[in-house]
Amino acid sequence: MYDIIVIGAGPAGLTAAIYARRASKNVLVLEAKSYGGQIINTLDIENYPVEAHISGFDFATKLYNQTKELGAEIKFEKVVDINDKGQVKEVITTKNTYTSKTIIVATGSENRKLGIEKEDELIGKGISYCATCDGAFFRKKNVAVVGGGNTALEDALYLSDLVNKVYLIHRRDEFRGEESTVRRLKEKENIEFVYNSNVTKLNANERLESIEVTNKDGSTRTIEVDGLFVAVGRIPENENFAKLINLDSSGYIIANEDCKTNVAGIFVAGDNRTKEVRQLVTATSDGAIAATTAIKYINNN
Ligand code: NAP
């Protein structure tokens, strides 16, 4: 039986494992995809203390190696269910069933889709959710980015150095993302801001050829683009825990800064919990708090 099973190997989960190992607890980290979570797709992290610039890939790899070196076991298996048997918690993956004294849920979130016709069938044929992964395929072409948060802003900035023209489409006329990035975008000559607009139609002949954009005033416009980068936020990956753990109406696990869920011995860390600020630094902070709280719980029980 493990002391702590961490579900998710993103910044929150791996930091939790580091804190748990430093307290000599035996730890299993379970990850469905690859380590690093969403930060692995960030080209340049500029707002994490100490390192002025570090790529998301380097950050995640260093964190992963640090966690392994401290002796955490990391397995790439998808968790499909958890059970609470009081002092013992069960974690069921597609391959095995594990038992633990505590669980830290650090599953993060997945890309939100626009939910329009042809979106799924055009993934890889013009539609992308990751500018740093797929931007190079659109060198010297015209692309659009949809969204108004930091991801959309940073995607537009990154793409503007690669492609011919970027249309940045946002449903309001004010961005949610950082003002400093907006300022940098406005200095770029090959970015056109399309405000108060939604992407309402995808026109394709095998690959994406153009998008229809509808303004709040009802007018529509067709923009010829080879690529559309969708950056409209993320959805917490909590559906496998909903029968046991309380979620809010948007699907986030309800927890305060102590990272405790409604179930004794089950904790949450990172972007998938209710919180005001979802940043790399708050994810790692959650990891430390959740692990420390879990350690106290183990020692008291
Ligand atoms: P976000 O901050 O939730 O922004 C999502 C954006 O998409 C919003 O502007 C929203 O519009 C828009 N949107 C949502 N649903 C839409 C729809 N159906 N159609 C059109 N537009 C839609 O998401 P994010 O940009 O992915 O960022 C997630 C978190 O990671 C944030 O906390 C962000 O600050 C953080 N992040 C940080 C960094 C960094 O620190 N370097 C980099 C990337 C992300 P409204 O504004 O109108 O709601």
Side-chain angles (χ1 to χ4, degrees), residues 31 59 89 138:
E31 169 58 54
F59 182 93
K89 316 292 176 200
F138 299 90

Side-chain angles (χ1 to χ4, degrees), residues 39-276:
I39 202 66
I40 207 150
N41 295 324
T42 295
L43 192 71
D44 189 18
I45 301 165
E46 294 180 352
N47 57 3
Y48 197 81
V50 177
E51 291 261 23
H53 294 275
I54 183 167
S55 75
F57 179 79
D58 285 348
F59 182 93
T61 304
K62 282 183 174 182
L63 183 56
Y64 176 78
N65 289 338
Q66 185 182 2
T67 312
K68 290 279 280 185
E69 279 159 22
L70 282 166
E73 210 177 317
I74 304 178
K75 292 188 179 182
F76 291 90
E77 294 178 25
K78 183 175 169 54
V79 172
V80 290
D81 203 1
I82 57 172
N83 291 312
D84 178 29
K85 300 195 164 173
Q87 299 290 316
V88 178
K89 316 292 176 200
E90 241 175 33
V91 178
I92 298 153
T93 73
T94 45
K95 291 183 186 161
N96 291 300
T97 296
Y98 301 96
T99 53
S100 179
K101 293 174 188 164
T102 62
I103 296 172
I104 297 174
V105 183
T107 40
S109 56
E110 63 184 348
N111 296 316
R112 177 180 287 122
K113 293 186 174 177
L114 291 173
I116 55 176
E117 224 178 297
K118 296 192 186 162
E119 186 175 359
D120 282 338
E121 68 191 71
L122 291 174
I123 293 173
K125 295 174 185 163
I127 301 282
S128 169
Y129 299 84
C130 177
T132 52
C133 316
D134 300 332
F137 297 123
F138 299 90
R139 220 174 270 276
K140 305 243 161 38
K141 295 186 171 171
N142 294 342
V143 301
V145 173
V146 56
N150 277 323
T151 304
L153 299 183
E154 289 180 11
D155 284 0
L157 199 58
Y158 170 70
L159 289 165
S160 70
D161 288 333
L162 280 179
V163 305
N164 179 51
K165 179 162 183 175
V166 180
Y167 296 87
L168 178 54
I169 301 160
H170 182 34
R171 63 184 178 183
R172 294 187 292 138
D173 59 3
E174 202 180 297
F175 288 104
R176 183 179 290 274
E178 280 179 29
E179 237 182 84
S180 60
T181 317
V182 176
R183 273 201 301 276
R184 283 160 76 187
L185 287 170
K186 286 186 174 161
E187 283 163 12
K188 295 276 183 175
E189 281 177 0
N190 64 342
I191 298 180
E192 181 177 331
F193 293 82
V194 183
Y195 294 113
N196 295 319
S197 299
N198 278 301
V199 178
T200 42
K201 198 171 167 207
L202 305 171
N203 301 312
N205 189 3
E206 293 199 0
R207 290 191 60 85
L208 183 70
E209 290 180 346
S210 67
I211 56 176
E212 183 189 86
V213 169
T214 304
N215 191 282
K216 265 184 185 164
D217 65 11
S219 61
T220 62
R221 171 184 175 188
T222 298
I223 303 174
E224 286 186 15
V225 286
D226 293 291
L228 174 65
F229 290 86
V230 180
V232 295
R234 311 199 42 99
I235 299 172
E237 296 199 62
N238 291 329
E239 66 280 0
N240 289 330
F241 317 113
K243 72 163 203 240
L244 200 59
I245 305 176
N246 291 342
L247 312 183
D248 74 0
S249 57
S250 304
Y252 291 95
I253 292 177
I254 297 170
N256 292 321
E257 296 304 304
D258 60 11
C259 295
K260 286 180 182 168
T261 71
N262 58 301
V263 185
I266 302 184
F267 307 89
V268 59
D271 278 7
N272 57 323
R273 82 163 172 94
T274 50
K275 55 157 75 179
E276 285 295 317

